[in-house]
Amino acid sequence: MPNETTPLRAGAVNVPYGHVIGNEKWKGSQITQGIQGKVNLILEDGLGIVDFHLSNRSCILYISEADMVAGNGFKRRLVQFRNVCNLQGIIIVEKTQISNQYFPAVQKFVVLELGMTLVPVANQGEAAQFIIQLVHEQMKDGASNPFLNKRSPTLLEASLFETVQQIPGVGKTKALLLLKQFGNIYQLCNASIPELEEVVGRTLAQQIHTFFTCAI
Amino acid sequence: RTPAALCVLADSREVASGPEVISSLKAVHGIKVQVVSLGVCDYVVSNRLAVERKTQAELLNGAQQSKAVQRVQRLKSTFERICVIVEKERPKAGEAWRAFHRTKRYDSILSAFIRAGIRVLFSSCQEETAELLAGLASVERRKKAALVAPTEVEGPQREALRFYLSIPCVSYPLALAFCHCFGSVKEMVNSSPGEMAARTQVMQQKAEEVYRYIYYHFEATMLP
């Protein structure tokens, strides 16, 4: 490959919204055929070691069945990628009956050692489907991702009620009385035995005090 | 000068659903497995990393997928890092081998995981899952986040542990750290966020969240 020395081209990093920029070498392949029509695909020359640029933040490196069987050459490419840029690298790997045996080692290297993302596919058709989904995901705003949206601040009353009931000897009724009297965990924890006795009986007051202050 | 054995916490339900994962962790990888009631996730491999074990079918099938999503969503509030291991299920006895049909939902949930920074690993069987867990645990140890022994608590500490665990944003390892790093519950409650973070090595942000909980004023009328 002529571009082996230029691992990345900076210009390709500006991917238009909803587009994928692919390496020229994928022209006419099953992947490009699968993507075309669903997502706008632009093929460019000189992307170096990157196969597809998804957005300003992430790109895809494709490891074929043949790459895996051939040996460790692809590892150099991944390390090179990681050393030169700070984009998120998503590695798509062809996991077939033939390359299956190499998969665990590749996964260990990519995910555990390099800290990159790895997704197995059975063939180029599946890879195309997956790339389409990745593009759709990046076009959505963060709120539609169930793992990204911040949960609205919930009322903590129910949790507090639960926490106070973890004190030995305190059930629902006593928990409510204690919380009403002391207002928060801090006050409850620092209450003296006589203060506690105003709410609960002597024995339990002693027990609560011991629970909080006893050296464990 | 051999380093202490790695330790992993396993949810008690995993004893039934992933027996080979647990036995392989112990026998093959020499990892100490402590079975506790984690509730929120299947495994905890370090102070900050929780692991969910999901079968391929759970992610392929829409109905089961929403349950999986809810669980991971809940995990987000307690753990800094989350990893999902997608495991191929064993064919049931007498059931014909079924080909894996990749669905659009499957791809879309994988992309959602990836975008949210949730790590995804693929496993073909329970033994391989154990190997991945062992790998994750040793990476976390290298990053100085390994679980600190002892992972068990005794006597009155059990009650204190339950008390700490009932705080919404507190993970199991953090509750353990509270037990081991503070002399009493009162001492913990009276510490500043900075002190809490320094003693337990939790992030300042998390310590502040715990601190806010301790000072949160209870309104009986707000109780559902």
Side-chain angles (χ1 to χ4, degrees):
Chain A
M1 261 189 288
N3 296 311
E4 204 69 65
T5 49
T6 50
L8 289 175
R9 206 193 57 194
V13 175
N14 293 316
V15 185
Y17 187 74
H19 283 60
V20 176
I21 297 180
N23 197 315
E24 182 70 23
K25 71 175 182 196
W26 288 100
K27 192 173 181 182
S29 69
Q30 213 190 329
I31 292 195
T32 51
Q33 282 166 16
I35 297 175
Q36 261 153 4
K38 308 278 187 4
V39 175
N40 297 314
L41 177 70
I42 305 165
L43 290 177
E44 278 187 21
D45 199 11
L47 292 189
I49 56 175
V50 169
D51 291 306
F52 296 95
H53 279 279
L54 288 184
S55 70
N56 302 349
R57 289 186 311 255
S58 58
C59 52
I60 289 174
L61 276 78
Y62 193 87
I63 301 174
S64 69
E65 180 187 55
D67 290 336
M68 273 167 102
V69 175
N72 290 331
F74 68 88
K75 288 190 178 175
R76 200 178 314 123
R77 190 172 140 219
L78 299 184
V79 172
Q80 200 184 1
F81 169 79
R82 213 190 60 157
N83 290 345
V84 292
C85 77
N86 48 13
L87 292 175
Q88 181 194 24
I90 299 169
I91 317 301
I92 296 184
V93 53
E94 255 176 39
K95 187 178 181 235
T96 61
Q97 276 186 320
I98 296 165
S99 64
N100 204 3
Q101 55 180 318
Y102 306 105
F103 180 77
V106 172
Q107 174 164 261
K108 196 169 171 227
F109 177 73
V110 173
V111 185
L112 298 183
E113 288 175 33
L114 297 181
M116 290 158 93
T117 306
L118 181 80
V119 176
V121 296
N123 50 47
Q124 291 197 11
E126 282 195 6
Q129 282 177 28
F130 179 62
I131 292 173
I132 293 165
Q133 283 305 317
L134 277 176
V135 174
H136 284 170
E137 178 62 40
Q138 299 198 325
M139 280 162 72
K140 288 189 227 163
D141 68 272
S144 64
N145 183 321
F147 313 113
L148 276 179
N149 58 9
K150 280 260 168 226
R151 281 197 301 175
S152 53
T154 47
L155 289 170
L156 294 171
E157 265 73 12
S159 309
L160 275 176
F161 190 46
E162 199 54 49
T163 300
V164 174
Q165 286 178 63
Q166 301 307 313
I167 303 167
V170 177
K172 284 198 163 76
T173 323
K174 295 275 161 56
L176 200 56
L177 287 173
L178 286 167
L179 276 168
K180 276 182 177 162
Q181 177 71 22
F182 297 102
N184 61 30
I185 301 284
Y186 176 78
Q187 297 286 349
L188 175 59
C189 215
N190 287 297
S192 65
I193 296 176
E195 282 171 331
L196 288 166
E197 271 180 27
E198 286 173 26
V199 188
V200 295
R202 174 166 295 182
T203 325
L204 188 56
Q206 185 76 53
Q207 211 175 329
I208 294 171
H209 191 260
T210 310
F211 172 73
F212 284 131
T213 56
C214 172
I216 43 178
Chain B
R1 39 145 287 166
T2 48
L6 283 169
C7 184
V8 162
L9 303 175
D11 186 42
S12 39
R13 290 192 309 177
E14 280 292 294
V15 175
S17 69
E20 281 153 45
V21 179
I22 295 180
S23 62
S24 174
L25 275 173
K26 286 182 187 168
V28 182
H29 304 282
I31 287 178
K32 186 181 160 218
V33 182
Q34 178 93 31
V35 178
V36 293
S37 173
L38 291 171
V40 284
C41 64
D42 297 327
Y43 294 92
V44 172
V45 297
S46 78
N47 282 332
R48 53 184 188 181
L49 176 64
V51 179
E52 266 290 89
R53 196 175 138 244
K54 291 272 158 253
T55 61
Q56 231 171 29
E58 271 176 291
L59 294 188
L60 281 170
N61 178 319
Q64 293 181 54
Q65 202 183 61
S66 59
K67 248 167 62 186
V69 168
Q70 272 173 11
R71 250 171 90 89
V72 175
Q73 226 171 345
R74 263 186 48 208
L75 264 186
K76 283 286 275 188
S77 60
T78 42
F79 282 90
E80 278 171 55
R81 294 175 185 215
I82 300 164
C83 175
V84 175
I85 297 182
V86 182
E87 191 181 286
K88 208 169 177 174
E89 50 273 270
R90 248 180 314 200
K92 291 187 186 82
E95 195 180 88
W97 184 80
R98 274 180 307 173
F100 167 67
H101 286 293
R102 206 179 174 101
T103 59
K104 203 171 151 186
R105 276 178 168 281
Y106 179 81
D107 279 336
S108 85
I109 190 150
L110 285 187
S111 1
F113 281 146
I114 292 169
R115 186 172 180 206
I118 294 168
R119 201 164 265 207
V120 189
L121 288 165
F122 299 85
S123 157
S124 60
C125 59
Q126 295 196 11
E127 285 79 4
E128 209 180 309
T129 301
E131 200 178 325
L132 292 172
L133 286 169
L136 285 169
S138 65
V139 168
E140 286 292 283
R141 174 164 67 186
R142 212 166 58 218
K143 294 181 180 168
K144 310 237 179 301
L147 283 171
V148 261
T151 48
E152 56 270 274
V153 290
E154 276 154 16
Q157 273 198 336
R158 280 169 199 267
E159 284 149 3
L161 181 72
R162 271 204 296 276
F163 181 82
Y164 294 137
L165 282 173
S166 71
I167 303 174
C169 57
V170 170
S171 65
Y172 204 97
L174 180 55
L176 279 174
F178 281 149
C179 282
H180 295 310
C181 303
F182 289 96
S184 67
V185 176
K186 190 172 173 177
E187 199 185 324
M188 185 288 238
V189 167
N190 285 309
S191 66
S192 67
E195 209 180 328
M196 230 184 265
R199 284 209 204 183
T200 62
Q201 295 185 322
V202 75
M203 289 202 310
Q204 180 78 16
Q205 194 192 346
K206 175 68 79 184
E208 276 163 16
E209 213 177 320
V210 176
Y211 187 79
R212 272 199 301 277
Y213 184 77
I214 290 167
Y215 284 85
Y216 185 86
H217 191 84
F218 181 80
E219 282 298 337
T221 47
M222 295 299 199
L223 205 59

Short mmCIF file of all heavy atoms in Angstrom, two decimals, chain B residues 175-195:
data_model
loop_
_atom_site.label_atom_id
_atom_site.label_comp_id
_atom_site.label_asym_id
_atom_site.label_seq_id
_atom_site.Cartn_x
_atom_site.Cartn_y
_atom_site.Cartn_z
N ALA B 175 -18.93 0.64 49.92
CA ALA B 175 -19.48 0.33 51.24
C ALA B 175 -18.46 -0.46 52.06
O ALA B 175 -18.27 -0.21 53.26
CB ALA B 175 -20.78 -0.46 51.10
N LEU B 176 -17.78 -1.39 51.41
CA LEU B 176 -16.72 -2.15 52.09
C LEU B 176 -15.61 -1.21 52.57
O LEU B 176 -15.13 -1.33 53.69
CB LEU B 176 -16.11 -3.18 51.14
CG LEU B 176 -16.83 -4.50 50.93
CD1 LEU B 176 -16.12 -5.30 49.84
CD2 LEU B 176 -16.89 -5.31 52.21
N ALA B 177 -15.25 -0.28 51.70
CA ALA B 177 -14.19 0.66 52.06
C ALA B 177 -14.61 1.53 53.25
O ALA B 177 -13.79 1.80 54.13
CB ALA B 177 -13.85 1.54 50.86
N PHE B 178 -15.87 1.93 53.29
CA PHE B 178 -16.36 2.70 54.44
C PHE B 178 -16.20 1.88 55.72
O PHE B 178 -15.78 2.39 56.75
CB PHE B 178 -17.84 3.09 54.26
CG PHE B 178 -18.07 4.26 53.35
CD1 PHE B 178 -19.23 4.35 52.59
CD2 PHE B 178 -17.15 5.30 53.25
CE1 PHE B 178 -19.47 5.43 51.75
CE2 PHE B 178 -17.37 6.39 52.41
CZ PHE B 178 -18.52 6.45 51.66
N CYS B 179 -16.54 0.60 55.63
CA CYS B 179 -16.43 -0.29 56.80
C CYS B 179 -14.98 -0.37 57.28
O CYS B 179 -14.72 -0.36 58.47
CB CYS B 179 -16.88 -1.70 56.46
SG CYS B 179 -18.66 -1.89 56.41
N HIS B 180 -14.07 -0.49 56.31
CA HIS B 180 -12.68 -0.72 56.70
C HIS B 180 -11.91 0.56 57.02
O HIS B 180 -10.94 0.53 57.76
CB HIS B 180 -11.95 -1.50 55.59
CG HIS B 180 -12.49 -2.87 55.37
ND1 HIS B 180 -12.69 -3.75 56.40
CD2 HIS B 180 -12.91 -3.50 54.25
CE1 HIS B 180 -13.18 -4.88 55.92
NE2 HIS B 180 -13.34 -4.74 54.61
N CYS B 181 -12.34 1.69 56.43
CA CYS B 181 -11.54 2.91 56.58
C CYS B 181 -12.04 3.84 57.69
O CYS B 181 -11.36 4.81 58.02
CB CYS B 181 -11.49 3.69 55.27
SG CYS B 181 -10.83 2.74 53.92
N PHE B 182 -13.22 3.56 58.20
CA PHE B 182 -13.72 4.41 59.28
C PHE B 182 -13.99 3.57 60.52
O PHE B 182 -14.49 2.45 60.41
CB PHE B 182 -15.00 5.14 58.85
CG PHE B 182 -14.77 6.22 57.84
CD1 PHE B 182 -14.94 5.97 56.49
CD2 PHE B 182 -14.35 7.49 58.25
CE1 PHE B 182 -14.70 6.97 55.55
CE2 PHE B 182 -14.12 8.49 57.32
CZ PHE B 182 -14.29 8.23 55.96
N GLY B 183 -13.69 4.14 61.69
CA GLY B 183 -13.85 3.41 62.94
C GLY B 183 -15.30 3.17 63.30
O GLY B 183 -15.64 2.17 63.92
N SER B 184 -16.18 4.09 62.91
CA SER B 184 -17.59 3.92 63.21
C SER B 184 -18.42 4.64 62.16
O SER B 184 -17.90 5.43 61.37
CB SER B 184 -17.91 4.50 64.59
OG SER B 184 -17.75 5.91 64.54
N VAL B 185 -19.72 4.35 62.16
CA VAL B 185 -20.61 5.01 61.20
C VAL B 185 -20.58 6.52 61.46
O VAL B 185 -20.55 7.33 60.53
CB VAL B 185 -22.05 4.46 61.32
CG1 VAL B 185 -22.98 5.22 60.39
CG2 VAL B 185 -22.09 2.98 60.99
N LYS B 186 -20.55 6.89 62.75
CA LYS B 186 -20.55 8.31 63.11
C LYS B 186 -19.34 9.03 62.52
O LYS B 186 -19.43 10.14 62.02
CB LYS B 186 -20.56 8.44 64.63
CG LYS B 186 -20.79 9.86 65.10
CD LYS B 186 -20.99 9.89 66.59
CE LYS B 186 -21.05 11.35 67.05
NZ LYS B 186 -21.31 11.42 68.49
N GLU B 187 -18.20 8.36 62.58
CA GLU B 187 -16.97 8.94 62.03
C GLU B 187 -17.11 9.20 60.54
O GLU B 187 -16.69 10.23 60.02
CB GLU B 187 -15.81 7.98 62.31
CG GLU B 187 -14.45 8.63 62.23
CD GLU B 187 -13.33 7.61 62.39
OE1 GLU B 187 -13.49 6.66 63.17
OE2 GLU B 187 -12.32 7.76 61.69
N MET B 188 -17.70 8.25 59.85
CA MET B 188 -17.90 8.39 58.40
C MET B 188 -18.85 9.55 58.12
O MET B 188 -18.59 10.41 57.27
CB MET B 188 -18.43 7.07 57.83
CG MET B 188 -18.58 7.05 56.32
SD MET B 188 -19.93 8.05 55.69
CE MET B 188 -20.90 6.91 54.82
N VAL B 189 -19.97 9.58 58.85
CA VAL B 189 -20.99 10.61 58.62
C VAL B 189 -20.44 12.01 58.90
O VAL B 189 -20.79 12.98 58.23
CB VAL B 189 -22.24 10.31 59.48
CG1 VAL B 189 -23.19 11.50 59.53
CG2 VAL B 189 -22.95 9.08 58.94
N ASN B 190 -19.52 12.12 59.85
CA ASN B 190 -18.98 13.43 60.21
C ASN B 190 -17.77 13.84 59.38
O ASN B 190 -17.20 14.90 59.61
CB ASN B 190 -18.60 13.44 61.70
CG ASN B 190 -19.83 13.54 62.57
OD1 ASN B 190 -20.67 14.41 62.37
ND2 ASN B 190 -19.95 12.64 63.52
N SER B 191 -17.36 13.02 58.42
CA SER B 191 -16.18 13.39 57.64
C SER B 191 -16.56 14.27 56.45
O SER B 191 -17.69 14.22 55.96
CB SER B 191 -15.45 12.13 57.16
OG SER B 191 -16.27 11.44 56.25
N SER B 192 -15.60 15.06 56.02
CA SER B 192 -15.84 15.94 54.86
C SER B 192 -15.67 15.13 53.59
O SER B 192 -15.05 14.07 53.60
CB SER B 192 -14.83 17.07 54.88
OG SER B 192 -13.55 16.55 54.64
N PRO B 193 -16.22 15.64 52.44
CA PRO B 193 -16.04 14.89 51.19
C PRO B 193 -14.57 14.64 50.87
O PRO B 193 -14.20 13.57 50.39
CB PRO B 193 -16.67 15.81 50.14
CG PRO B 193 -17.61 16.66 50.88
CD PRO B 193 -17.06 16.82 52.26
N GLY B 194 -13.72 15.62 51.17
CA GLY B 194 -12.30 15.47 50.89
C GLY B 194 -11.68 14.32 51.67
O GLY B 194 -10.92 13.52 51.13
N GLU B 195 -12.07 14.24 52.94
CA GLU B 195 -11.56 13.19 53.81
C GLU B 195 -12.07 11.82 53.33
O GLU B 195 -11.31 10.85 53.30
CB GLU B 195 -12.08 13.47 55.22
CG GLU B 195 -11.19 12.97 56.32
CD GLU B 195 -11.81 13.29 57.67
OE1 GLU B 195 -12.49 14.33 57.79
OE2 GLU B 195 -11.62 12.48 58.58
#
